[in-house]
Amino acid sequence: MAFSAAELHVLRRSLAHALRSPTAPLSATEVQDCLRLSQSVDEAVAEAGRLADFLVADLSRYRQALPGSLPGYLELLRDALAAGYEPVPDDLAALRALRGNPAAAALLDRACGVAERSVRRRLAAPRTRLRALAGGKEDEPPRRPSPPQHPGEHDGPGTAERPVPKPSEVFPPRRAPAPPPTSRRAAG
């Protein structure tokens, strides 16, 4: 992220003011300058996000057009890795397929190193428990078991609980097939 000379001047002045006297109010022009700087920083962050999204989409298009787009793909991937892009499995698979090319082989080593560091960082990150529960509540009191209902009770019209049938009631046991009838010959 780059700042213009005017933005750096505002930033320097604001930091100096904060260090000098945190309780003294800023002048109206200083407040306006700080607001403009804040907007510029927000715009720069949004633009960086849009640029990263474009770069990833462009990289995907080049990867799909391989091997014909090899030089462009390698250049885009090299730039993306320099900008902090973490290669996806498709990138690693494409580079493995192209490792006969010396530039692709070198880039594969670099991409594998970046991917490995990324995985290690994610595994080393402290794991927090998910606290959000259904309904958006952070903590839900323990549920008390509902009192057993008597067979004649029900909560509303048509909601009486029916007993669950046993499998033997739904699917009666098979009977062994009867032996074929033996035929008797009439005496003649």
Side-chain angles (χ1 to χ4, degrees), residues 132-158:
L133 300 174
K137 299 177 184 176
E138 284 193 20
D139 292 321
E140 188 174 295
R143 294 184 181 197
R144 286 186 243 151
S146 60
Q149 291 185 342
H150 298 293
E153 293 181 14
H154 52 80
D155 295 333

Side-chain angles (χ1 to χ4, degrees), residues 139-181:
D139 292 321
E140 188 174 295
R143 294 184 181 197
R144 286 186 243 151
S146 60
Q149 291 185 342
H150 298 293
E153 293 181 14
H154 52 80
D155 295 333
T159 59
E161 283 191 40
R162 296 184 344 194
V164 178
K166 297 181 207 170
S168 62
E169 295 172 340
V170 175
F171 304 105
R174 291 187 172 186
R175 301 187 193 275

Side-chain angles (χ1 to χ4, degrees), residues 101-125:
N101 180 314
L107 199 54
L108 174 62
D109 291 340
R110 182 174 171 199
C112 284
V114 170
E116 185 177 333
R117 284 190 300 276
S118 171
V119 168
R120 288 182 190 278
R121 185 181 67 249
R122 279 185 263 146
L123 290 175

